[in-house]
Amino acid sequence: TCGQRCTSTRRLIIHEKIYEEVKAKLVKIYQQLPIGNPLENSTLVGPLIDQLAIDAFTNALESVQKEGGKVLIGGEILKNSHFSQGYYITPALVEAENHYETVQKETFAPILYLIRYQGTIENAIALQNGVKQGLSSSVFSDNLQQVETFLSYKGSDCGIANANIGTS
């Protein structure tokens, strides 16, 4: 869906102890993402819907960088002969902070913001709940107490709260 779904993961809130490891793995994965015709089984990233979506994608990346964010990989518009028809881009992985205005907005595009947190699961939950949107959320943990906290009334303020599966 190329990030064009209400339940697409937009922010990945990662504890500082594993942040660098997760970031390195994601950069490696993003380098290998198959982009192309969404009707082909091998494709993981299809096109954006139209030029307005391309504009929103590039504007969000420009804005987040002005706020201090760092694009780690992606963000290119693909215009070679293989992508001559359609609105193809490379998904972007961006280091950011939760309070950035750009992060606070929903851009229906393949931009994943990596946000580092310190301390307890409650700190991560506060960041997760710190946006106006709240359709779907997920926690990944092998700590049952953390998972239950996230799923409880003190946890995720989203309509859908998942544990150890994605948001879509």
Side-chain angles (χ1 to χ4, degrees), residues 17-165:
K17 288 183 181 177
I18 61 169
Y19 183 86
E20 292 300 327
E21 176 186 355
V22 171
K23 178 176 82 169
K25 287 180 179 183
L26 285 170
V27 167
K28 185 175 180 180
I29 289 167
Y30 269 53
Q31 291 170 338
Q32 302 170 32
L33 287 175
I35 301 168
N37 184 337
L39 300 176
E40 295 176 9
N41 287 336
S42 61
T43 297
L44 289 179
V45 181
L48 290 174
I49 186 104
D50 58 20
Q51 186 60 47
L52 291 175
I54 293 270
D55 295 344
F57 174 72
T58 57
N59 289 341
L61 291 176
E62 288 174 14
S63 294
V64 77
Q65 289 178 90
K66 287 177 184 172
E67 293 177 274
K70 179 181 176 186
V71 176
L72 300 172
I73 190 167
E76 293 88 26
I77 299 170
L78 301 175
K79 291 284 187 185
N80 62 35
S81 61
H82 183 70
F83 300 105
S84 61
Q85 294 183 352
Y87 301 95
Y88 291 93
I89 49 81
T90 57
L93 196 57
V94 178
E95 283 186 302
E97 294 184 23
N98 200 57
H99 65 86
Y100 291 171
E101 185 178 328
T102 309
V103 174
Q104 293 289 311
K105 294 179 182 175
E106 253 186 322
T107 303
F108 287 91
I111 301 171
L112 181 60
Y113 298 110
L114 303 184
I115 299 167
R116 181 188 316 250
Y117 84 95
Q118 299 174 336
T120 66
I121 188 70
E122 288 80 9
N123 295 354
I125 291 169
L127 289 171
Q128 187 258 301
N129 290 339
V131 295
K132 292 178 183 177
Q133 306 82 23
L135 181 56
S136 186
S137 62
S138 186
V139 64
F140 284 83
S141 178
D142 58 4
N143 181 313
L144 188 57
Q145 188 173 5
Q146 288 181 349
V147 170
E148 288 193 11
T149 298
F150 184 81
L151 297 175
S152 76
Y153 73 94
K154 295 186 281 185
S156 175
D157 191 22
C158 286
I160 303 167
N162 301 292
N164 295 327
I165 60 170

